[in-house]
Amino acid sequence: MNDKKLKSALISVYYKDHLEEIVNRLHALQVSIISTGGTREFIKKLGIPVTAVEELTGYPSILGGRVKTLHPKVFGGILARNDNTSDIQEMKDYAIDPIDLVVVDLYPFEETLASGASPEDIIEKIDIGGISLIRAAAKNFQDVVIIPSKAQYPLLLEILNGQQGSTSLDQRRKLAMEAFDVTSHYDTAIFNYFNRNRETHAFRQSVEEAKPLRYGENPHQKGTFYGDFGKIFEQLQGKEISYNNLLDIEAAVYLIDDFSETTFAILKHNNACGIASRKTLTSAWADALAADPVSAFGGILITNKVVDEATAIEADKLFFEVIIAPAYEDKALEILKKKKNRIILVRKNTPLPVIQFRSLLNGIVEQDRDVKTETKADMRPVTQREPTDSEYEDLVFANKVVKHTKSNTIVLARNRQLIASGVGQTSRVDALRQAITKARSFGFDTAGAVMASDAFFPFADCVEIANEAGIKVVIQPGGSVRDQDSIDFCNKNGMAMVFTGTRHFKH
């Protein structure tokens, strides 16, 4: 009862890919075709009759092509309701013929923006007529079929070939839904371009790619990843990436990006359980693993250098879920690929977002990503003793690690190696005690290590405990009303402490 057979089509597309088959089939089904500009020339070259929009409207394309289809003869034909007697009468009065198929796509705004084009070129790629046609046809889905992009071409061909140009109401409604998906995504991209300086506090995000996950954080939770994972990584082998894998992969990437020297890190539950910077990758791997070989089991491995055969041989001895690197030597890949479920990722040279957001209560919070990484120049000595050059190197290293560790956290490091961390504790004292205990449990002497804290010390207790453990060099943001208590203790006990002025909470 709600099936409708196509009789007339308006076709106006930017991309002509796979259009020939559609046009030929429409012609075979005796569907009359109206078209514009380049699309009309394309159809004419196929030897198929086509009416120019200018013939239909009596107006030429004007303003450099900005106005072609914006006319009552076009939009009246699309928006007229076939079951509305008033609409039918007005169609007769103004000699408007119905249009029951609209095939249109939009100017490539996002592609033009990504190309680094000039502001003038970007603005010219904001589609007006096309998006208006899509919205009009989708609104009137009771009578009109809308094909809003080439992604819907397969369904249209199925309708033309399998159903002889006849459509059901459910098909038209589904296409209308997809049409509004196209227009909302397009409008979001345009809004975010104009609001790139975040002058308007309105949250707009639209991601076209979606991948259902096996489950969310736990098996009883559903999960979906919205985004183009393949833009950042090439997966060479392994099982399907899980929700928890994605969280760990993101944490690993942000951590490793703070290191330029040869570095290997092992992460578990978004935190580094081992990380070391060395002259060779094999030694970086060995010292990263030494920090906590227990937690490393089932972890995520990441490095910023090409994985060689020697490192692959050693890493292969550990069960791990994911390894990430910019590249792999052929022999290294042969070794790593022996375990088929092991996820092997190649990191592509793709910039990562600098804005983060997450759902919170009944809304969303947005923030700048923490991209600040302190160097020696950012460290202000506040004690009588100043760190040595080698101690400064360890402070820079430890502070990078603490920045990427869940709060409250304390990181202990020596010779650019993590020797232990206290992670996610409600008390900074507990985090420090946890780190000291853990370091000693894996055979590390805490004497001579440096200590990094993600936030200030409200009391002197942390430097007191550190001193008892032989830790004589400390880095922290500072900013407590009791900073002087910690400074005084350090001075009395020959400790060096520097302030950065920057807190690095991570929750």
Side-chain angles (χ1 to χ4, degrees):
M1 182 177 177
N2 289 314
D3 287 359
K4 293 186 179 292
K5 193 169 181 63
L6 299 176
K7 296 177 182 178
S8 63
L10 170 62
I11 306 176
S12 180
V13 295
Y14 186 88
Y15 298 105
K16 312 299 188 293
D17 310 355
H18 310 297
L19 184 62
E20 182 175 348
E21 185 179 358
I22 289 172
V23 172
N24 281 323
R25 188 58 186 151
L26 286 171
H27 179 57
L29 291 171
Q30 299 183 328
V31 176
S32 60
I33 300 174
I34 306 159
S35 192
T36 64
T39 308
R40 176 173 170 266
E41 292 302 316
F42 177 87
I43 296 171
K44 278 180 67 177
K45 287 179 182 178
L46 297 176
I48 293 174
V50 56
T51 301
V53 165
E54 292 84 351
E55 295 177 40
L56 180 70
T57 64
Y59 277 85
S61 172
I62 61 173
L63 305 182
R66 282 187 164 197
V67 179
K68 289 180 284 193
T69 57
L70 297 169
H71 192 279
K73 287 269 189 175
V74 175
F75 281 85
I78 296 170
L79 286 165
R81 293 160 291 188
N82 291 347
D83 60 353
N84 185 294
T85 54
S86 176
D87 285 6
I88 293 169
Q89 185 59 50
E90 286 186 47
M91 295 275 281
K92 290 178 181 177
D93 293 344
Y94 296 104
I96 299 174
D97 294 323
I99 298 171
D100 45 34
L101 169 64
V102 175
V103 181
V104 66
D105 59 17
L106 301 172
Y107 289 161
F109 176 82
E110 288 181 283
E111 293 87 341
T112 304
L113 180 61
S115 73
S118 67
E120 294 76 16
D121 288 340
I122 292 170
I123 296 301
E124 282 307 308
K125 287 300 185 287
I126 297 177
D127 204 306
I128 302 300
I131 204 162
S132 301
L133 290 169
I134 291 173
R135 290 179 65 85
K139 177 176 180 176
N140 200 25
F141 70 88
Q142 293 281 352
D143 299 305
V144 180
V145 175
I146 174 61
I147 304 297
S149 75
K150 57 187 177 183
Q152 288 75 36
Y153 283 6
L155 177 56
L156 177 58
L157 284 169
E158 180 184 318
I159 289 168
L160 298 177
N161 292 320
Q163 300 169 210
Q164 302 301 304
S166 182
T167 63
S168 68
L169 180 60
D170 283 343
Q171 285 175 322
R172 297 193 297 277
R173 183 185 289 110
K174 180 178 183 293
L175 285 166
M177 176 190 69
E178 293 183 14
F180 286 118
D181 179 32
V182 168
T183 59
S184 65
H185 177 82
Y186 195 77
D187 283 337
T188 296
I190 295 168
F191 169 76
N192 284 333
Y193 167 70
F194 280 98
N195 196 42
R196 56 193 178 277
N197 295 324
R198 290 190 280 176
E199 299 165 71
T200 296
H201 293 293
F203 183 80
R204 299 282 188 280
Q205 289 292 329
S206 177
V207 182
E208 292 183 300
E209 297 83 4
K211 179 177 175 55
L213 303 172
R214 295 197 305 274
Y215 49 79
E217 200 162 7
N218 298 292
H220 63 278
Q221 296 170 267
K222 292 182 180 179
T224 304
F225 175 68
Y226 295 96
D228 187 358
F229 188 79
K231 190 175 181 180
I232 302 175
F233 302 101
E234 178 186 359
Q235 184 171 350
L236 301 182
Q237 77 151 39
K239 61 184 180 180
E240 185 179 335
I241 293 172
S242 71
Y243 179 99
N244 292 324
N245 288 156
L246 288 168
L247 293 178
D248 283 329
I249 289 168
E250 181 189 63
V253 165
Y254 288 150
L255 170 64
I256 206 70
D257 280 356
D258 271 345
F259 295 85
S260 56
E261 62 272 42
T262 300
T263 302
F264 217 119
I266 306 167
L267 286 89
K268 199 74 172 288
H269 295 291
N270 313 156
N271 297 295
C273 57
I275 181 170
S277 296
R278 293 290 182 264
K279 290 183 178 179
T280 68
L281 192 62
T282 306
S283 57
W285 159 255
D287 288 344
L289 180 63
D292 186 350
V294 175
S295 295
F297 182 86
I300 306 293
L301 278 51
I302 189 165
T303 181
N304 53 3
K305 302 298 178 184
V306 176
V307 176
D308 54 33
E309 181 184 10
T311 306
I313 289 171
E314 295 304 313
D316 187 56
K317 296 174 183 177
L318 175 75
F319 168 73
F320 60 87
E321 291 207 353
V322 182
I323 184 169
I324 308 164
Y328 303 82
E329 290 182 357
D330 290 342
K331 289 186 177 179
L333 272 182
E334 288 179 19
I335 295 164
L336 296 172
K337 283 185 173 181
K338 288 178 182 178
K339 295 181 175 63
K340 299 302 179 184
N341 282 336
R342 179 179 284 164
I343 298 168
I344 302 175
L345 299 177
V346 175
R347 172 91 180 274
K348 297 180 181 179
N349 189 25
T350 303
L352 294 170
V354 294
I355 303 297
Q356 295 177 314
F357 51 88
R358 63 189 289 184
S359 61
L360 196 65
L361 298 174
N362 63 342
I364 291 166
V365 289
E366 179 185 88
Q367 68 170 357
D368 298 330
R369 184 159 60 85
D370 185 359
V371 296
K372 184 170 177 56
T373 303
E374 288 76 26
T375 65
K376 179 181 176 181
D378 300 304
M379 299 176 188
R380 179 172 63 91
V382 294
T383 51
Q384 294 166 359
R385 173 163 114 69
E386 185 173 346
T388 65
D389 288 344
S390 62
E391 287 171 341
Y392 266 121
E393 286 186 3
D394 281 346
L395 288 175
V396 170
F397 176 91
N399 202 54
K400 289 177 180 178
V401 179
V402 86
K403 167 187 166 184
H404 295 280
T405 306
K406 297 286 187 180
S407 300
N408 286 313
T409 181
I410 293 288
V411 163
L412 305 181
R414 185 175 55 236
N415 190 24
R416 294 179 301 156
Q417 176 191 19
L418 174 67
I419 64 170
S421 57
V423 178
Q425 298 300 306
T426 53
S427 160
R428 198 159 303 282
V429 169
D430 287 345
L432 175 55
R433 293 191 188 283
Q434 180 190 54
I436 293 169
T437 301
K438 192 171 185 179
R440 290 171 176 170
S441 73
F442 289 113
F444 290 101
D445 184 355
T446 54
V450 305
M451 176 174 76
S453 175
D454 60 337
F456 65 63
F457 300 134
F459 304 100
D461 45 11
C462 281
V463 291
E464 292 169 1
I465 296 167
N467 183 60
E468 290 174 5
I471 298 164
K472 293 291 187 177
V473 185
V474 180
I475 183 170
Q476 58 139 318
S480 168
V481 294
R482 293 177 176 268
D483 275 345
Q484 195 60 46
D485 292 351
S486 295
I487 294 170
D488 290 344
F489 181 88
C490 288
N491 284 333
K492 289 178 183 177
N493 291 276
M495 297 175 69
M497 183 162 64
V498 298
F499 286 179
T500 64
T502 302
R503 188 182 74 184
H504 288 295
F505 270 168
K506 184 184 178 188
H507 296 104

